Amino acid sequence: MRKSPVTGAGLGLRRGLLPELSSMDDTAVDFMEVAPENWIGVGGRFGRQFYALSERFPLVCHGLSLSIGSPAALDYQFLKDLKIFLDRFAIDCYTEHLSYCSDDKGHLYDLMPMPFTAEAASYVAGRIREVQDVLERRIGIENVSYYAAPGQALSELDFINAVLREADCDLLLDVNNIYVNSINHGYDALEFLHGLDGERAVYIHIAGHYVEAEDLRVDTHGSAVIEPVWALLDAAYQRWGVLPTLLERDFNFPPLSELLVEIERIRHSQLTHGAGNVATG
């Protein structure tokens, strides 16, 4: 099991939550996750609030625009700025989506699915290795939600594991994405979870989603976590030990007190599965 730089239960640091996050107790959460693109170069009031929170809570980074699967060249200026940001705030854990969001014309403002092929797996693995060399640290790749699978030759599971193996990188395990994809693409979520190379997981994402139809779920991060997703979190702890877990909420924010109830449920699950079974290395 890969060593994680954080422990316990975390919450995403979103600007819409800044006033409440800034005033909450230091024991309310164990760590916070930030999208570096939203904070690199930010000054003024927001910059001061961010810096104050970085002094109080350990940070991990989950990126939005690396576009690791893109046909376009890597953005080396962004990687340079990212490395400075990670070093400045002593952030050891940086993760991104196993997808792409740009081409030669610019950003597409959505996470696009990669073709599940051996060629694509080798291509993206090479780019991940290059990013790790530039940043001088391992990175983690998240299993993403998707709604179409163009050119599919491998299963989603085989594709993810091939990328992890060829890149020799870490995994950000998203249990909500497993559940969403299992409904949308008709597979068994628990079987998929057990088939992942979870020994590479550095931490877990859990979130809510939107029910569009009986056979269609949309990964929104805009609602409370549902029971089948909580069950997958328990299953992940049973399979690989207690991992740090981050509650994602990106919009439609309830009062912070409601989010902290979900944080406490994560902590309760972690305690139930045993502090002595924490996966740290």
Side-chain angles (χ1 to χ4, degrees):
M1 186 65 64
R2 299 301 181 187
K3 183 176 178 61
S4 176
V6 293
T7 59
L11 183 63
L13 199 170
R14 307 295 185 255
R15 289 194 189 183
L17 290 171
L18 260 180
E20 290 185 279
L21 294 177
S22 297
S23 61
M24 75 179 178
D25 188 89
D26 285 357
T27 63
V29 301
D30 300 302
F31 66 99
M32 289 188 179
E33 178 191 81
V34 300
E37 296 87 343
N38 292 337
W39 298 101
I40 291 173
V42 172
R45 175 168 57 91
F46 286 137
R48 290 191 297 272
Q49 289 176 310
F50 176 78
Y51 184 82
L53 286 168
S54 75
E55 292 281 284
R56 295 171 55 198
F57 299 98
L59 299 180
V60 295
C61 272
H62 184 50
L64 300 170
S65 62
L66 181 61
S67 200
I68 195 65
S70 173
L74 290 167
D75 185 341
Y76 289 100
Q77 182 58 54
F78 167 68
L79 288 175
K80 177 182 176 181
D81 294 339
L82 174 62
K83 186 176 187 305
I84 292 171
F85 180 83
L86 296 174
D87 290 343
R88 178 185 177 190
F89 291 99
I91 300 171
D92 293 326
C93 186
Y94 168 68
T95 63
E96 250 286 2
H97 303 82
L98 184 53
S99 62
Y100 70 101
C101 59
S102 65
D103 60 13
D104 292 324
K105 304 295 185 181
H107 278 269
L108 307 173
Y109 300 103
D110 205 350
L111 297 175
M112 307 298 292
M114 294 189 61
F116 297 155
T117 66
E119 180 183 16
S122 293
Y123 171 76
V124 73
R127 284 165 66 93
I128 292 169
R129 292 194 300 269
E130 189 171 357
V131 169
Q132 291 185 141
D133 288 344
V134 172
L135 296 180
E136 298 182 316
R137 49 177 47 86
R138 295 177 67 87
I139 71 170
I141 294 297
E142 180 186 36
N143 58 295
V144 300
S145 58
Y146 64 101
Y147 305 94
Q152 182 170 359
L154 301 174
S155 69
E156 177 193 355
L157 182 62
D158 288 343
F159 177 76
I160 294 171
N161 284 338
V163 170
L164 294 172
R165 181 176 61 253
E166 292 187 43
D168 189 22
C169 67
D170 297 331
L171 170 68
L172 169 53
L173 172 60
D174 192 309
V175 292
N176 179 63
N177 288 351
I178 292 176
Y179 179 79
V180 165
N181 289 347
S182 74
I183 299 295
N184 294 346
H185 302 288
Y187 60 69
D188 183 273
L190 189 59
E191 182 178 330
F192 184 97
L193 176 73
H194 286 173
L196 272 176
D197 186 1
E199 294 296 324
R200 294 180 178 272
V202 284
Y203 70 103
I204 295 176
H205 271 176
I206 191 166
H209 58 265
Y210 178 72
V211 179
E212 179 71 31
E214 183 178 349
D215 60 350
L216 178 60
R217 303 295 191 270
V218 182
D219 179 32
T220 59
H221 306 167
S223 59
V225 181
I226 66 170
E227 290 302 322
V229 178
W230 285 117
L232 279 179
L233 180 65
D234 285 331
Y237 291 164
Q238 291 168 358
R239 178 71 173 83
W240 294 295
V242 174
L243 285 157
T245 301
L246 189 285
L247 175 66
E248 287 189 291
R249 190 63 174 259
D250 292 342
F251 75 102
N252 193 26
F253 297 119
L256 181 62
S257 59
E258 293 185 22
L259 297 180
L260 295 182
V261 169
E262 292 188 293
I263 292 292
E264 287 307 310
R265 179 156 182 179
I266 293 171
R267 286 172 166 168
H268 176 74
S269 182
Q270 290 173 332
L271 286 173
T272 298
H273 291 281
N277 196 31
V278 175
T280 58

